[in-house]
Amino acid sequence: MLFVLPVTGLSFSYSAPKSCEPFNISWNGGRPPFYIMITPPSGTPRNISAPEDAWNGVEGSYSFTLNLTAGQNFILSMSDATGFGAGGNSDLLSVGGSSTNAQCNTTDPGAPFTFRFATAIEQCGQYSFSDYSAANEPVTIRGIIPVGTSFELSPPEQATSFSWSADIATGSRILFYMVDNDGRISTTSPILQVTESANSTCIDESSPHSTISSVTQEPTSPTSTSTPSQGGGGKDHTPAIIGGSVAGGLALLTLIALIVWTVRRRRDPLKRYKKRRARNGPDGMRPIDLAPSTPDLRGQGARLPPLEFEPQPFILPPARSTNGHAGADGVPLSPTHVSNTNHGDNIPGQTGMSKSMAGPSSQPLAPPRFVLHTDAGSIHGGALEQPPTYNAASQNSPS
């Protein structure tokens, strides 16, 4: 036995609407027959039946001339055998001008009857319909929510008016029209927006609703491409949403990592100091060779007086006596011997020094002395630590 499973989940897409040009509709799922409804606000709806050969059992497509003027707005809906608005509704679309200067009849066909409706609708408030006596009863009231669901209301027969509790959430957009017992369609209401109310007891999961936020009433303008647009009951956009979320998350993580890296780099001067010190030397300073700028003093020895010194340890003498040769306790001063290997040369500055040191004084002056410090660099085989050496500048003893 062969079982045919019912196909559900009707969804549709469409091309950019342009006046007097072919308007392409494609759909997946659903059950034939299929109906395409073009509903302009405050106008006359057009109900178009898709031919049988437009459906291959899985998907279908159909193209027809869009007999609407440029700038006119409408909502596109699709229905199948399961009921009115099974495929959902598009957003409020705006018809674009023809790119081929095509001409067609865009006159509104008019409606066989009309009805009255309230101009304001409030969440969970009472909304009334009246003056539809020209319709053949029973009548059906259809509500269409852009990018959302559709629903039907059934007023009782022989009634001249009908009141309905508007179980639609605040901010939703909606329009209405009527269908009588003969299938005739009335004119439509304008787009109405549900106003806020403190009463929300009528709102539940089964309430008519929009699939997106409906705070704006601006119509969607057509694009220059023929990329199909999705209706309110169209394909599931979950994969695209997930992909976009993943991409956005990765971008956010990359930005956070960059910020953390920058902050850590600014807060770690010690690490940069250690790297600079390892590269440039201690204290982050590059080593400088001072040897080339140091004069060579070894060659200066030829210009020094040819004196030979015999260093002797210096013993600090006690207080001197008046004769200048011994201390108070009779300890003699440490002797110092100087020999001049070249008696013909005079030591430069010696006479001036002796004169400068010799001055009027009541006490005899000690003989002048020179302090000789041997540079450690001139000693070969390691530096020797010795006390300073003091030699007399001349061999003459003070009188």
Side-chain angles (χ1 to χ4, degrees), residues 262-274:
T262 303
V263 172
R264 292 188 61 184
R265 185 174 183 271
R266 291 182 177 179
R267 292 184 178 179
D268 195 10
L270 180 60
K271 185 176 180 180
R272 298 199 307 273
Y273 167 75
K274 290 181 179 180

Side-chain angles (χ1 to χ4, degrees), residues 41 58 61 100 115 157 185 235 246 253 286 305 383:
V58 178
S61 63
T100 61
F115 67 99
E157 295 186 33
I185 302 176
K235 296 180 181 179
V246 171
L253 291 177
R286 293 181 181 275

Side-chain angles (χ1 to χ4, degrees), residues 297-357:
L297 299 178
R298 292 177 296 179
Q300 304 294 332
R303 295 193 297 270
L304 295 178
L307 298 177
E308 293 182 0
F309 299 94
E310 296 179 3
Q312 297 291 337
F314 175 76
I315 300 176
L316 180 66
R320 297 179 58 86
S321 63
T322 57
N323 57 12
H325 292 282
D329 55 356
V331 179
L333 298 176
S334 59
T336 303
H337 303 282
V338 179
S339 62
N340 194 339
T341 58
N342 188 354
H343 299 283
D345 298 333
N346 295 325
I347 300 175
Q350 181 177 355
T351 305
M353 183 180 296
S354 300
K355 291 180 180 181
S356 64
M357 295 179 63

Side-chain angles (χ1 to χ4, degrees), residues 8 22 56 68 80 105 141 166 185 219 228 265 296 312 325 337 349 368 382:
T8 59
N56 63 8
L68 296 176
D80 66 355
N105 182 14
I141 301 173
I185 302 176
R265 185 174 183 271
D296 188 5
Q312 297 291 337
H325 292 282
H337 303 282

